[in-house]
Amino acid sequence: MDVQTPSLRPPLHRVSRTAIRYWTVRASLGWLIVIGAQIAWMVLADGDHRAVRIPALAVTAVFAAAHLIVMPQWRYRVHRWETTPEAVYTLSGWFKQEWRIAPVSRIQTVDSERGPLEQLFGLANVTVTTASAAGPLKISGLDRGTADRIVHELTASAQATAGDAT
Amino acid sequence: MNGPADLPPGDVPADVPPADASPTGTSGGTSPGATSGGASPADEWRRLNSRMLFVHPFQVAVRAVPALLGLLVAGSSRGGSGHLWSLGGLVVMIVLGTLQWFTTTFRITDEHVQVRKGLFRRQVMTVPRDRVRTVDVTSHILHRVLGLARVEIGTGRSDQKGGGALKLDALGTAEAAHLREELLHRQLAPNSPTGAAAPGADPSGAGGDAAGAGDGWVGAGGGAGGTLPVPVPLPGSGPITGVRPVAAVRPVTAAFAPEQETELARLQPRWIRYAPFTLSGIVAVGVIAGFLSRLTNEGGVDLRKIAALREGWEWFTRVPVWTGVAAAVLALVVFVAVASTFGYILSFWGFRLTRHTGGTLHVTRGLITTRATTIEERRLRGVEVSEPLLLRAVRGARLIAVTTGLRVGRGAQRGGSMLLPPAPVAEVEALAERVLTPGTPDGPDTRDTRDTRDTRDRPDTPDGTSPVVAPLVAHGATAMRRRFTRALGANALAVVALLALWEWAGLPEWTWITALGFIPFAALLAADRYRNLGHAMTTEYLVTRWGSLVRRRVVLECDGIIGWNVTRSFFQRRAGLATLTATTAAGRQGYRVSDVAMGEALGIAAAGIPGLLDPFLTVPGQHASEPEGSQ
């Protein structure tokens, strides 16, 4: 890209490294369901289309392996976040990249959430919402301490601003 | 664990259990002068108008007609008791509908509007009064005959289904008008010239019987002070409501001081010539087609037995196919045009847009179903000039408000943000400027404390053109190429797919030939889409325009922008473009500037919210404002 035009630098922080394992496990669960269904279908139905089904299963397995190897690493590299006293800043997506910036003064809620799987890995995600339905900023795969700190900081500084953030 | 932090003070979650319903509740007397002495009647839980007991069963029955028809057919085909089932279903639904009246209560305290409803699942919805953004008062025909109006209170809670709106279906028309006045104007009242009378404006102030309050409080209001600031007579109190004693409304309308409102626009009968180009009549075609198909399928009516239709069909089969097609198209066009005109008259007859010194814009319209929408002006974040292709061809346009609390095209709120029905584009632009220009600053400052740029008197750019008509910056050759790639690419894909289907699946030949024939139109569409794409940044407004089939130009107040999203797809990155979305609590929640050069996008973002982006830029460009306040 042209050096003369300004451009957005990536946010400073990456998410927790543990998130790579978490994403791998979560994605493999999804793939297990798909592969399991295929196997079940192959076993339960009589083996007339075996010539089609075995290659299909192989293709699925290859896709699954590729996804499981590439996706978590890539996502770890791409997903970034940063908070300053004035703004929250996130970057996500790899084919379609999305930068989201919201001023702290316009924050309405800061939610921290831990799903069952995230709890296993000691992770949490943070969702920052503004009054616009188009602009929630979601940071997933944070370690619990960081998530709590973000929630605490943002809540404190957002409460300090007057108005109703619309 | 959920750690929701509702940050803004005073934002009470919607499921907070209500305070005790006794009149001596906690909220009485916290705001001086809010109650006119003694126990606060406003804190009492009130019921909807008792005349709703007639309306509910009727509404339920009408809504249940398709279901009942289905039930009837299914029941009778099983043999025997189909009619009984249908009847039983109807009775159950009517009972449930009637129960709504008994289970729904509401109250307005000094701080909150609360609605309790539900039979099995009791709900209490609480909206802080300072979050009330819009009040929408609608009267359908049945409502009008009975002198009722449905009130919908819009809030800024965009994270909730339906925009967090509270519905009160229905109150007496006068009570509804009063409620609107109270909700949107009362907080300003103590400083306004007529403020002294406002405390007397407690709804249900007189007469303990809440059920009959529709008329009861009107008398009280008239007695409490002749200057009650209840300004606009509801359109519902027109001739149709002759059933009601009109005299009961008079004190209020007489008390209304005309200098309180200035008229910004009024329907000109000659605008009706734009009606056929709105194509709203297509809906009517759909409705009639649906009705006919249901009549034949479920009602068992044989259309061939109707002589006129049969003769028409015979003529249709006799004449050559092109004559037939031409006749059918002509008939359809005429019908749609006529239906659109009727639709326009029905929706917009008596349209008036007024500005109140209390800080609101007020829209009244409707011939049979009347609708009155009140928008808090400081929540008006901009306007949208929308031009559907046909309307644009005859130099017509519509004006839509971009405001918090009214989301565009959402259920019952649909159309609530209309500021001007289809009208000449010059009128639309002139009105847009009048709407964006704040009224004469004669009242108290109604603006946010955060709103520091109040010194403006006209929404001007430095060179004196208003953002409504300011020339736009085009997005350049790469953006144009993307328009063409998309339109032609999609068309080519369709042609290839149809060719394949024709080759292998026996699709008729004309399908892909037709698709091929569409390529010039796709090119025209792309060219028009590029021509319309543009943006401008004035000192206070972001202007963006896009679209071809419906061209929209949005003028959005920078102060209403609450964040930026920048998205870049793989192809956009290669082309050095980005799509910038200004997120906002108003209107469509986000307005996009598509396919703009990355540097330009960041320039817009920096100008829109100065200083926000500066810490995140790698090369501080010449577009960005001076990086003060950033680390």
Side-chain angles (χ1 to χ4, degrees):
Chain A
M1 195 187 300
D2 190 1
V3 260
Q4 288 309 307
T5 58
S7 82
L8 286 166
R9 65 165 171 77
L12 281 182
H13 309 294
R14 289 190 170 158
V15 298
S16 166
R17 262 207 163 275
T18 327
I20 299 178
R21 274 187 290 141
Y22 161 66
W23 286 325
T24 314
V25 169
R26 199 182 59 176
S28 53
L29 285 180
W31 282 111
L32 276 180
I33 292 170
V34 174
I35 291 174
Q38 275 186 334
I39 290 174
W41 189 38
M42 204 153 65
V43 172
L44 294 180
D46 28 333
D48 38 354
H49 289 302
R50 189 150 288 185
V52 183
R53 282 177 194 165
I54 287 177
L57 187 63
V59 168
T60 313
V62 168
F63 271 115
H67 185 240
L68 290 180
I69 292 166
V70 174
M71 180 276 290
Q73 293 290 339
W74 198 318
R75 188 176 278 182
Y76 177 70
R77 259 151 238 234
V78 163
H79 280 219
R80 286 163 165 273
W81 62 274
E82 182 176 346
T83 60
T84 70
E86 284 85 36
V88 186
Y89 179 33
T90 64
L91 169 60
S92 63
W94 58 278
F95 180 79
K96 186 173 188 173
Q97 289 189 322
E98 180 151 16
W99 292 258
R100 292 191 167 192
I101 303 148
V104 167
S105 59
R106 300 301 181 92
I107 292 175
Q108 281 208 324
T109 66
V110 185
D111 292 354
S112 171
E113 200 178 272
R114 274 173 270 175
L117 202 55
E118 282 172 308
Q119 295 214 20
L120 267 177
F121 287 91
L123 295 173
N125 62 59
V126 171
T127 307
V128 177
T129 64
T130 60
S132 170
L137 290 83
K138 192 162 183 178
I139 315 169
S140 60
L142 293 167
D143 69 74
R144 207 171 291 175
T146 316
D148 289 347
R149 189 170 53 79
I150 295 174
V151 170
H152 184 74
E153 282 176 9
L154 289 180
T155 308
S157 46
Q159 251 160 359
T161 54
D164 61 3
T166 58
Chain B
M1 179 203 77
N2 257 0
D6 254 345
L7 299 173
D11 186 8
V12 173
D15 50 0
V16 154
D20 190 31
S22 69
T24 53
T26 49
S27 42
T30 43
S31 142
T35 54
S36 50
S40 160
D43 287 2
E44 278 170 14
W45 288 95
R46 289 185 267 159
R47 284 196 190 285
L48 303 173
N49 196 294
S50 56
R51 276 172 294 215
M52 280 310 285
L53 287 172
F54 298 106
V55 179
H56 273 310
F58 191 81
Q59 279 179 336
V60 167
V62 166
R63 219 175 298 155
V65 161
L68 284 174
L69 270 178
L71 212 59
L72 194 71
V73 171
S76 55
S77 67
R78 273 202 307 272
S81 55
H83 296 282
L84 279 179
W85 279 110
S86 310
L87 213 63
L90 186 64
V91 168
V92 167
M93 278 187 280
I94 286 178
V95 167
L96 284 180
T98 315
L99 276 175
Q100 278 182 30
W101 183 83
F102 290 99
T103 54
T104 307
T105 50
F106 70 100
R107 71 169 175 181
I108 292 150
T109 68
D110 292 331
E111 284 108 32
H112 298 117
V113 181
Q114 290 183 311
V115 178
R116 288 196 302 200
K117 67 175 184 185
L119 178 62
F120 299 112
R121 205 169 68 88
R122 292 291 285 170
Q123 273 180 297
V124 181
M125 286 171 295
T126 305
V127 170
R129 280 181 61 167
D130 58 355
R131 291 301 173 89
V132 174
R133 303 284 180 263
T134 59
V135 177
D136 197 295
V137 180
T138 314
S139 295
H140 294 288
I141 175 125
L142 196 61
H143 283 82
R144 284 187 67 182
V145 168
L146 294 170
L148 298 172
R150 188 183 68 197
V151 180
E152 201 169 309
I153 301 165
T155 64
R157 299 291 300 259
S158 50
D159 53 332
Q160 282 175 357
K161 213 172 145 189
L166 293 186
K167 275 177 220 162
L168 298 173
D169 189 11
L171 308 175
T173 43
E175 189 183 9
H178 182 83
L179 187 66
R180 180 190 65 219
E181 184 65 19
E182 192 193 6
L183 285 175
L184 285 172
H185 291 167
R186 201 181 72 163
Q187 59 226 52
L188 315 164
N191 297 338
S192 70
T194 54
D202 263 329
S204 78
D209 74 329
D215 294 340
W217 67 264
V218 172
T227 53
L228 252 189
V230 179
V232 181
L234 260 191
S237 52
I240 289 192
T241 50
V243 177
R244 295 186 67 221
V246 177
V249 190
R250 283 257 164 77
V252 176
T253 42
F256 147 62
E259 67 271 13
Q260 278 208 318
E261 61 172 352
T262 40
E263 185 175 282
L264 297 179
R266 172 191 284 275
L267 181 81
Q268 311 287 326
R270 62 198 157 81
W271 294 352
I272 293 171
R273 70 176 187 270
Y274 290 101
F277 300 97
T278 60
L279 294 189
S280 57
I282 288 177
V283 180
V285 174
V287 168
I288 288 177
F291 179 75
L292 283 183
S293 84
R294 226 166 57 191
L295 206 65
T296 49
N297 294 336
E298 296 171 24
V301 176
D302 193 353
L303 290 178
R304 278 168 298 186
K305 284 185 184 143
I306 302 169
L309 282 178
R310 196 177 55 226
E311 278 162 24
W313 181 249
E314 274 167 9
W315 175 85
F316 198 75
T317 46
R318 257 197 332 269
V319 297
V321 62
W322 290 115
T323 322
V325 168
V329 167
L330 189 73
L332 193 70
V333 165
V334 169
F335 179 81
V336 167
V338 170
S340 302
T341 310
F342 272 112
Y344 188 99
I345 293 171
L346 283 178
S347 326
F348 301 120
W349 191 255
F351 177 92
R352 255 178 109 236
L353 173 66
T354 54
R355 166 180 276 140
H356 286 247
T357 42
T360 56
L361 291 175
H362 192 80
V363 178
T364 49
R365 62 188 175 90
L367 184 65
I368 292 171
T369 294
T370 60
R371 186 156 187 186
T373 309
T374 308
I375 300 168
E376 200 182 3
E377 232 184 321
R378 64 185 171 130
R379 300 298 168 191
L380 185 80
R381 292 311 194 178
V383 291
E384 174 183 319
V385 177
S386 138
E387 299 162 283
L389 188 62
L390 267 183
L391 203 56
R392 182 148 58 101
V394 294
R395 309 270 314 134
R398 302 175 296 200
L399 190 67
I400 297 168
V402 174
T403 182
T404 315
L406 280 179
R407 286 177 78 173
V408 174
R410 283 201 129 218
Q413 297 179 9
R414 198 182 173 84
S417 46
M418 181 81 79
L419 286 182
L420 196 68
V425 71
E427 304 250 12
V428 169
E429 283 168 353
L431 176 66
E433 275 180 54
R434 282 202 297 278
V435 166
L436 292 179
T437 313
T440 46
D442 50 3
D445 189 14
T446 60
R447 299 252 150 196
D448 258 357
T449 45
R450 200 175 51 229
D451 220 348
T452 51
R453 287 177 287 185
D454 265 354
T455 46
R456 67 189 184 199
D457 39 20
R458 279 179 55 78
D460 282 355
T461 49
D463 56 344
T465 47
S466 92
V468 182
V469 291
L472 301 181
V473 180
H475 289 190
T478 20
M480 176 158 71
R481 209 164 53 229
R482 269 174 66 79
R483 301 275 90 73
F484 276 98
T485 317
R486 281 187 186 186
L488 295 179
N491 203 319
L493 215 64
V495 170
V496 168
L498 288 171
L499 261 176
L501 285 174
W502 166 70
E503 178 70 36
W504 290 298
L507 208 68
E509 199 176 17
W510 60 265
T511 48
W512 67 265
I513 294 178
T514 315
L516 207 63
F518 269 113
I519 283 184
F521 295 104
L524 281 177
L525 185 76
D528 192 45
R529 272 168 60 78
Y530 172 69
R531 209 165 57 89
N532 292 338
L533 196 63
H535 71 272
M537 196 74 214
T538 73
T539 45
E540 286 161 15
Y541 293 93
L542 166 69
V543 186
T544 171
R545 190 177 70 177
W546 75 96
S548 171
L549 296 179
V550 182
R551 181 169 81 175
R552 302 174 193 279
R553 180 188 177 118
V554 169
V555 178
L556 181 66
E557 203 181 19
C558 288
D559 211 45
I561 299 173
I562 55 182
W564 296 103
N565 297 349
V566 180
T567 55
R568 306 185 80 187
S569 72
F570 175 71
F571 300 111
Q572 280 180 312
R573 286 201 292 279
R574 281 183 33 153
L577 299 178
T579 293
L580 179 75
T581 306
T583 65
T584 172
R588 293 174 201 278
Q589 307 289 302
Y591 289 95
R592 308 201 318 174
V593 182
S594 291
D595 285 339
V596 69
M598 186 63 177
E600 179 75 17
L602 297 178
I604 299 168
I609 311 179
L612 178 69
L613 249 62
D614 296 343
F616 309 128
L617 296 179
T618 42
V619 182
Q622 60 276 31
H623 296 284
S625 62
E626 58 282 0
E628 50 158 290
S630 63
Q631 316 85 341

